[in-house]
Amino acid sequence: MRVIKPLFFLFALFFGIFKTYGANLTGKITDQSGQTLPFVVVYIDGTTNGTTANVDGEYTLELKPGTYTIDFQLIGYTLRRETVEMGTANIIRNVQLKTEGIKINEVVVNGNGRDPAYGIISQAIEKRKFYQEQVESYSCDVYIKGVQKITKHPDKILGREIHFNELDSTSGIIYLSESVSKFNFKQPDKIREEMISSKVSGNNQAFSYNQASDMLIDFYKNIIQIDELSERGLVSPIANNAMFFYKYHLAGSFVENGKVIDKIQVMPKRENDPVFRGYIYIQEDTWRIHSTDLYLCKDAQIRFLDTLFINQSYLPVTPDVWLLFSNKYKFIFNILGISGNGVYLSINKNYAIDPDFPKNFFNGELLKIDDNSNKKDSTYWNQTRPVPLTKEENLDYTRRDSIHAKHETKEYLDSIDARRNKFKISALYLGYRYFNRYRKQFFFISPVIQTIGFNTVQGLNGGLTIGYTKNYEESKRLSIVASGGYGFSNERGYGDVNVTYSFNPEKFSFFTIGGGVKPVQFNGENPITPFLNTLYTLIEDQNYMKLYQKASVHAGYTTELVNGLLFTAGTEYADRNALMNTTNYKLFKVPGREYTSNNPQYPQNDSAVAFPDNKSLTVSAQLKISFRQEYYTLPHQKIIADNKYPVLILDYKKAFGGFNANYDLAKVTLSGTFNLKLLGKTTYSVVAGKFLSQNNVGFMDYYHFAGDQIIFSSFGLNSFHLLDYYKYSTTGPFTEGHIQHNFEGFILNKIPLLRKLKLDELVGANYMRTNEMPGGYVEFFAGVQKFQAFRIDYAVSFSQNARVGQGIRIGIGF
């Protein structure tokens, strides 16, 4: 073996040195007038081995020695076929494409007055499911290049300065990246992708945002989900119910490789339906998609983008199987005064049909980015990228890479921090942050205005929160947050410190430790914020916040045991003391209305102490089970994808009897989402629990429902609209359920004036039941929201078969 190993190495080295590498076929593609033709598909005839020309019409195709037939294809132009004989030297072959001879004169309305396009689309619809399910599984190599540009931007947004330090003032490029991935698919919707290489202009430590699955808009599906643009989904031009949404026109036909290709114009029947516009090309007899030239605009009720163009080309992988080869997204946007555009281009090649995937290969990991994917050098990329860089892109790489080292130096980072760290008057309402980016740490001080409040226990009160964060290698992080303040009426100070250390982000592993003395709400979920309580106390004479003082120390630990199984444990020792109202100051006096006591059980008895002073020692454990959890794996980091399946949470809490509190509480929560596609999404949550023992339970240990007695609401899934904060708190068995459906514009989109507002319509119900309320309590609500920035609901509640309340709730998501 000692002899064989070095011999093997020498033979490998010898043959590696004399290995025959291919040469490049390069050139420029123009039309008959000499104008550049961008994004022409260039491929070896009969295969999916190929490339796409860049925006300047330049292409590069690496070929081993031999004779090849090369096809040049672009929608609207006649297929050009060139024969080349490749040796070991590069060949330049400039190509000119002719405008396609579309046979428009043959497009006539048939005898029943119907455009022939409807018959063609009917055939395509009939074959839709066959082509969607034709291939059980496949794998392929995917190259993606993404370019985003900023063309216009303001100096400030919402009072904060915005900086585009990496913005090229000449080209406007803000983001340029490339990636190469191995993509794997299995019916009906299992995917797994590995990003092998990644390059981001100006940052050799970053990883590309490119993802092959994001580039796979499949028009063979009835509904196409692009959640970032439209949560409802978009109707394919060949969906089973497409005739209800689309009008069609046969714009012409042409012949390619002996097959007739029909150019079908697709148009919405109603301007604001979630549909595409443009052209879809159908191959006659097979009725498969040949290519697409479609777009989405604001009329389709998409978000964030003004327009999204989608150009796709399909090629035969086998004589009977055609799959996506090239895909181009071009978009235009204008958000908060920031205007720009972008282009993402993908090339899919080296398809393997029905590969032999190992058992449990599709394990929920949607994407894995290799640790060394961003370490590839320029030689690798020059040999690998199928689409040549434009002059603009080359300059961007050169410019950013040349200044990247400078931007990582201590001198440069300190100069940037010095500018940003200057104190400004806006810190009073926005807070202040002090950066030291070279040491990867920063401090922050909370806004002074936000820490000033008023309640009937402390009177006028104020304080500060100060934080420190330190980032370490491998995405580890240390965070220390300290807060303190003073109540001027009860003349008491308060403060606490909390430390969190994240030591294994790939497992969501972190521990916390902290302690302090401060007033806290009886419901530890804080049903009303100090700011809103201040408003209602001073203006409406309604002091909803009920407080007690807690001196405590606590510790906690969280980690993921296996994918989808998150475990959390914690312990706390607390010394708890009752507090009384110390002020009856009113900014405005509402006739007939007085402050209630600080005793949530007896709000009309201001002389009653809420509870005797007591101590507690508790331990808690939680197991969160995310069924069939899907995720992305980055170097030293794991990101959970949107969950399509239910989440089950098991909670247990025990207070030890050696102290005053002595009880055992168990709770189960089940939540999830149903995607009804064009009809929107339904979210639900069901909670059930019981005190297994209750030898000594203080009111702060009761189970409290998330009530709401003010007009403002957080609209949390497990919250109520009209429920009293503490009236139904219990130590007995409890059940609650919440369901909400978001039509996502399905109804209002059909009303001419309202559709321009792009509002979502919501309906839902909340329910709770305890031993004290055997008949239960239920709310029904309906409302509208603008994205998640503003929402208004009307709700009505019933108890014991009688209506007990109604009201409006408003939410502002800033």
Side-chain angles (χ1 to χ4, degrees), residues 356-375:
D356 185 16
F357 292 121
K359 186 178 180 180
N360 298 322
F361 178 78
F362 296 96
N363 60 357
E365 185 180 50
L366 302 179
L367 170 67
K368 179 181 179 181
I369 300 180
D370 290 351
D371 290 359
N372 296 319
S373 62
N374 60 354
K375 303 297 190 296

Side-chain angles (χ1 to χ4, degrees), residues 566-627:
L566 188 70
F567 175 73
T568 299
T571 184
E572 180 188 69
Y573 170 78
D575 187 351
R576 307 179 299 191
N577 306 105
L579 296 172
M580 302 281 286
N581 287 342
T582 62
T583 180
N584 60 0
Y585 173 80
K586 297 178 180 180
L587 186 61
F588 301 101
K589 293 185 178 181
V590 179
R593 183 178 292 170
E594 298 295 335
Y595 287 142
T596 57
S597 76
N598 192 48
N599 186 340
Q601 292 180 289
Y602 303 100
Q604 303 307 319
N605 187 351
D606 200 34
S607 62
V609 177
F611 62 90
D613 295 348
N614 67 75
K615 297 178 176 61
S616 71
L617 176 63
T618 60
V619 294
S620 60
Q622 181 187 90
L623 193 62
K624 180 180 179 182
I625 306 169
S626 300
F627 296 100

Side-chain angles (χ1 to χ4, degrees), residues 761-774:
E761 320 89 332
L762 304 108
V763 296
N766 301 309
Y767 171 82
M768 57 81 64
R769 183 183 182 278
T770 66
N771 285 348
E772 296 79 15
M773 286 284 293

Side-chain angles (χ1 to χ4, degrees), residues 9 64 89 178-179 220 239 301 333 372 434 436 452 471 501 519 563 568 596-597 604 622 628 714 716 720 735 778:
F9 172 77
K64 295 179 181 179
E178 299 173 275
S179 66
Y220 287 119
Q301 301 299 300
F333 62 87
N372 296 319
Y434 181 90
N436 189 326
I452 298 174
N471 294 312
Y501 179 59
N563 182 51
T568 299
T596 57
S597 76
Q604 303 307 319
Q622 181 187 90
R628 298 180 67 178
S714 64
F720 291 81
T735 304
V778 64

Side-chain angles (χ1 to χ4, degrees), residues 242-356:
M243 297 288 185
F244 179 75
F245 292 92
Y246 286 96
K247 295 185 294 184
Y248 301 95
H249 170 63
L250 178 57
S253 303
F254 60 91
V255 177
E256 182 180 280
N257 291 330
K259 294 286 186 179
V260 176
I261 310 299
D262 294 318
K263 179 181 181 181
I264 310 295
Q265 184 180 9
V266 300
M267 300 160 284
K269 280 192 172 181
R270 293 162 296 275
E271 284 299 309
N272 296 94
D273 277 348
V275 298
F276 297 85
R277 292 162 168 80
Y279 298 91
I280 185 169
Y281 294 77
I282 303 294
Q283 188 183 75
E284 284 196 13
D285 297 329
T286 63
W287 311 113
R288 62 166 54 97
I289 298 175
H290 170 274
S291 51
T292 69
D293 185 11
L294 299 168
Y295 69 93
L296 292 166
C297 63
K298 283 188 172 182
D299 287 340
Q301 301 299 300
I302 61 174
R303 299 177 297 188
F304 308 120
L305 299 182
D306 292 341
T307 313
L308 172 66
F309 300 90
I310 303 166
N311 299 100
Q312 296 181 333
S313 293
Y314 289 76
L315 291 179
V317 178
T318 70
D320 297 323
V321 175
W322 287 48
L323 293 175
L324 185 66
F325 171 70
S326 72
N327 199 4
K328 183 187 75 173
Y329 296 163
K330 181 180 179 180
F331 55 88
I332 301 169
F333 62 87
N334 186 341
I335 305 172
L336 297 175
I338 302 174
S339 301
N341 58 69
V343 176
Y344 277 74
L345 175 69
S346 71
I347 303 294
N348 297 11
K349 60 182 182 179
N350 299 329
Y351 277 96
I353 304 300
D354 295 328
D356 185 16

Side-chain angles (χ1 to χ4, degrees), residues 486-719:
Y486 186 78
F488 290 92
S489 181
N490 68 347
E491 298 180 343
R492 290 191 184 187
Y494 58 89
D496 66 349
V497 178
N498 290 282
V499 179
T500 302
Y501 179 59
S502 174
F503 59 91
N504 187 356
E506 292 176 286
K507 289 289 187 180
F508 306 106
S509 301
F510 66 91
F511 66 78
T512 61
I513 188 170
V517 180
K518 63 179 181 179
V520 298
Q521 297 188 52
F522 280 87
N523 182 347
E525 297 299 322
N526 299 322
I528 184 169
T529 66
F531 173 73
L532 291 176
N533 181 73
T534 298
L535 292 181
Y536 268 80
T537 301
L538 292 176
I539 298 174
E540 293 291 328
D541 296 351
Q542 293 174 313
N543 56 324
Y544 289 117
M545 182 181 287
K546 307 303 176 185
L547 303 168
Y548 71 95
Q549 180 168 286
K550 181 167 77 170
S552 65
V553 291
H554 64 84
Y557 170 75
T558 295
T559 192
E560 187 178 53
L561 304 177
V562 296
N563 182 51
L565 201 61
L566 188 70
F567 175 73
T568 299
T571 184
E572 180 188 69
Y573 170 78
D575 187 351
R576 307 179 299 191
N577 306 105
L579 296 172
M580 302 281 286
N581 287 342
T582 62
T583 180
N584 60 0
Y585 173 80
K586 297 178 180 180
L587 186 61
F588 301 101
K589 293 185 178 181
V590 179
R593 183 178 292 170
E594 298 295 335
Y595 287 142
T596 57
S597 76
N598 192 48
N599 186 340
Q601 292 180 289
Y602 303 100
Q604 303 307 319
N605 187 351
D606 200 34
S607 62
V609 177
F611 62 90
D613 295 348
N614 67 75
K615 297 178 176 61
S616 71
L617 176 63
T618 60
V619 294
S620 60
Q622 181 187 90
L623 193 62
K624 180 180 179 182
I625 306 169
S626 300
F627 296 100
R628 298 180 67 178
Q629 176 175 276
E630 296 178 332
Y631 60 97
Y632 308 96
T633 302
L634 284 66
H636 314 300
Q637 190 178 5
K638 181 177 181 179
I639 300 174
I640 304 302
D642 291 339
N643 204 334
K644 305 174 186 176
Y645 302 95
V647 174
L648 179 67
I649 300 177
L650 308 176
D651 282 293
Y652 174 75
K653 186 175 183 179
K654 180 176 181 60
F656 290 95
F659 299 84
N660 302 106
N662 185 358
Y663 61 86
D664 293 84
L665 171 62
K667 185 180 71 168
V668 179
T669 304
L670 180 69
S671 62
T673 300
F674 293 115
N675 188 341
L676 303 180
K677 299 190 176 178
L678 291 181
L679 293 177
K681 289 183 179 179
T682 298
T683 55
Y684 67 89
S685 175
V686 179
V687 182
K690 182 180 181 180
F691 281 83
L692 305 177
S693 68
Q694 45 181 302
N695 298 321
N696 192 345
V697 185
F699 187 72
M700 68 288 291
D701 301 317
Y702 279 41
Y703 182 76
H704 304 287
F705 298 96
D708 192 0
Q709 294 178 251
I710 64 176
I711 195 171
F712 299 103
S713 175
S714 64
F715 294 114
L717 179 59
N718 287 332
S719 64

